Amino acid sequence: MPFDVKYFEKENGTFPAETFILEQSQKMQAKIFRDLELLEKNGYELREPYSSFLEDGIFELRTIKGNNIARILYFFVIGKKIILTHGFMKKTQKTPRNQIELAKKYRNEYLKKEENRK
């Protein structure tokens, strides 16, 4: 059974990961959506070069097209659910600290919102 991949929604109703994807060229978008299908199908099993664990339950999906590397950060939720927090174009070897912190912030907001729904 595939995983359920969803976009994180901010308080203001925007979806940072979706916005990032739609800002990319059509060819990059096509590759990102292909990689998202791999993530949906493989979940925890997806490894490098497509996906890697960063820290504290935060992972990144990597899509490479030419010299560009798109990164989409995500986390898993119980019940085979994957939440895509946001994306950025990678310029350095190491994922910037502020990007990881942003993913954690969005995860906390998501979990708080889910808790309030119960």
Side-chain angles (χ1 to χ4, degrees):
M1 190 178 111
F3 281 72
D4 189 14
V5 178
K6 299 272 191 221
Y7 294 108
F8 166 75
E9 181 180 1
K10 288 171 64 171
E11 294 270 323
N12 66 6
T14 62
F15 300 87
E18 182 183 45
T19 301
F20 169 76
I21 294 167
L22 296 177
E23 289 170 347
Q24 305 310 309
S25 70
Q26 282 190 312
K27 285 184 177 173
M28 180 60 102
Q29 282 184 38
K31 285 189 136 193
I32 291 171
F33 286 125
R34 182 208 61 205
D35 291 347
L36 286 172
E37 282 179 28
L38 288 173
L39 181 62
E40 187 177 44
K41 207 181 307 177
N42 299 297
Y44 300 109
E45 307 293 315
L46 192 63
R47 299 277 186 263
E48 293 195 23
Y50 302 104
S51 173
S52 65
F53 173 75
L54 295 175
E55 67 176 52
D56 191 27
I58 302 295
F59 294 78
E60 72 177 359
L61 184 71
R62 286 196 289 261
T63 300
I64 301 169
K65 187 192 163 300
N67 292 332
N68 296 321
I69 305 175
R71 307 281 174 142
I72 298 175
L73 302 192
Y74 65 93
F75 61 91
F76 291 92
V77 180
I78 293 171
K80 292 191 87 164
K81 200 184 279 188
I82 297 169
I83 306 300
L84 308 174
T85 59
H86 69 291
F88 64 99
M89 293 309 277
K90 181 123 185 274
K91 304 281 189 248
T92 59
Q93 196 55 41
K94 206 166 157 49
T95 300
R97 180 95 237 130
N98 63 336
Q99 299 292 345
I100 297 171
E101 293 306 320
L102 184 59
K104 289 180 183 180
K105 175 182 177 269
Y106 287 165
R107 178 181 59 193
N108 290 341
E109 288 177 25
Y110 173 86
L111 294 173
K112 201 175 288 175
K113 200 186 311 177
E114 287 301 296
E115 191 58 39
N116 291 338
R117 283 195 183 138
K118 291 178 182 174

